[in-house]
Amino acid sequence: MYRGREGQWAFYLHRISGLGILVFLILHILNIGSAMWGPEVSNALMKFYHQPVFQLGLLLLIAGVLYHGFNGLRIILMDFTAWGVRYQRALWYGVWVLFVVFYLPFLIKIGGGILGGSHGD
Amino acid sequence: MAIKSKRYPEARLEANTNLELYWWVFMRISGVVLVFLLIGHMWMNAILADLNTIDYEYVAKRLSQTTWKVYDWLILALGLLHGANGLRYVLDDWIRDPAKRFWTKVVAYSLIAFLFFYGSLSLFNHDFGVN
């Protein structure tokens, strides 16, 4: 139906980002939930996750959440409006416009932090 | 099996059980709610706060307020359910062997149930000792 075109990329990216977010969610719940074990355990874990490599991962995660979320809204428009499917390709480019607008602040803040070496010590 | 239809009337026809249709609807509703909850969550913790200063103190202070407990629990519950059902779609598509598919689901659902239990405990059943 839409093999090799925007619709297929939208679908693949939706799945990959969804699975990526789920994997992160596991780590995130275990990490934040560790606060139950007191400051020592919790702070040690959090310091571990403040390393630049995890911040890069976080930038990737935020990209995944924003794409998955906005593309999800596109899917909903396709499902519930009379015109959504007709304009699915235009909507996909709309997703990327929203993505850039929302991603830039995160990219600047977190990316700047990584480059500035302001990670945990 | 997961519903493939892109439009609600077709999804209703394709759904051979009501349950499958409810999941289809749930994915849309929880999706809309999660977009707002998660943008807020990420904005608060990565833009308004400095990620690198997040530690036990910060978490304990935030989780001592009922508003944030409820906010975070909504993300936990909706996110895990949305993610579990999304994973179910993926496993149904990718794992052809029924026995393998069954056991993969058992492991995946158990992990998700554990995370829900663990996350809920830390939100509602733990006193972080912040006044």
Side-chain angles (χ1 to χ4, degrees):
Chain A
M1 182 172 67
Y2 44 52
R3 183 174 299 181
R5 298 212 55 175
E6 287 90 339
Q8 194 186 21
W9 286 108
F11 173 82
Y12 281 150
L13 281 175
H14 201 74
R15 283 225 152 158
I16 294 169
S17 56
L19 289 174
I21 294 164
L22 194 56
V23 169
F24 165 82
L25 195 57
I26 297 170
L27 294 178
H28 189 61
I29 294 170
L30 293 177
N31 178 26
I32 301 299
S34 74
M36 281 192 289
W37 311 119
E40 292 82 15
V41 179
S42 170
N43 279 334
L45 251 182
M46 288 202 225
K47 214 165 97 180
F48 176 73
Y49 283 118
H50 283 164
Q51 295 175 86
V53 59
F54 288 111
Q55 313 236 334
L56 277 177
L58 216 55
L59 271 178
L60 196 65
L61 168 87
I62 292 169
V65 171
L66 291 176
Y67 174 79
H68 195 89
F70 294 138
N71 190 55
L73 295 180
R74 168 179 163 272
I75 292 174
I76 293 170
L77 286 178
M78 282 159 56
D79 288 337
F80 289 104
T81 68
W83 48 268
V85 174
R86 215 172 334 133
Y87 293 107
Q88 61 94 2
R89 203 171 304 151
L91 283 171
W92 196 55
Y93 291 105
V95 166
W96 285 111
V97 171
L98 275 178
F99 175 87
V100 170
V101 169
F102 278 84
Y103 194 49
L104 268 179
F106 291 103
L107 191 63
I108 292 166
K109 181 89 193 281
I110 300 173
I114 298 170
L115 293 177
S118 73
H119 46 85
D121 34 30
Chain B
M1 282 298 281
I3 296 174
K4 309 271 187 207
S5 295
K6 279 265 153 268
R7 310 192 42 75
Y8 184 76
E10 291 159 22
R12 223 167 53 184
L13 288 176
E14 193 183 330
N16 34 28
T17 61
N18 275 340
L19 185 66
E20 201 56 74
L21 184 66
Y22 297 148
W23 275 118
W24 189 90
V25 172
F26 169 78
M27 290 307 264
R28 272 83 192 151
I29 294 173
S30 61
V32 173
V33 178
L34 280 167
V35 170
F36 292 103
L37 288 177
L38 286 179
I39 289 178
H41 183 74
M42 299 189 308
W43 197 272
M44 258 183 303
N45 296 300
I47 302 281
L48 300 182
D50 186 346
L51 269 176
N52 300 296
T53 64
I54 290 180
D55 56 3
Y56 174 81
E57 191 98 348
Y58 176 90
V59 173
K61 216 176 272 171
R62 229 168 69 90
L63 293 188
S64 65
Q65 293 163 282
T66 310
T67 314
W68 296 124
K69 277 182 201 260
V70 172
Y71 190 103
D72 286 2
W73 188 79
L74 268 177
I75 294 179
L76 177 77
L78 290 177
L80 280 177
L81 267 180
H82 188 102
N85 191 49
L87 181 64
R88 182 174 69 91
Y89 291 162
V90 174
L91 295 180
D92 279 340
D93 276 357
W94 283 355
I95 307 183
R96 290 288 175 82
D97 183 63
K100 273 187 203 151
R101 193 166 61 220
F102 174 79
W103 287 109
T104 312
K105 282 180 181 175
V106 168
V107 172
Y109 297 163
S110 306
L111 178 65
I112 282 162
F114 166 75
L115 288 171
F116 178 69
F117 180 70
Y118 184 79
S120 299
L121 268 188
S122 66
L123 285 175
F124 291 117
N125 213 26
H126 183 75
D127 178 14
F128 288 97
V130 178
N131 299 307

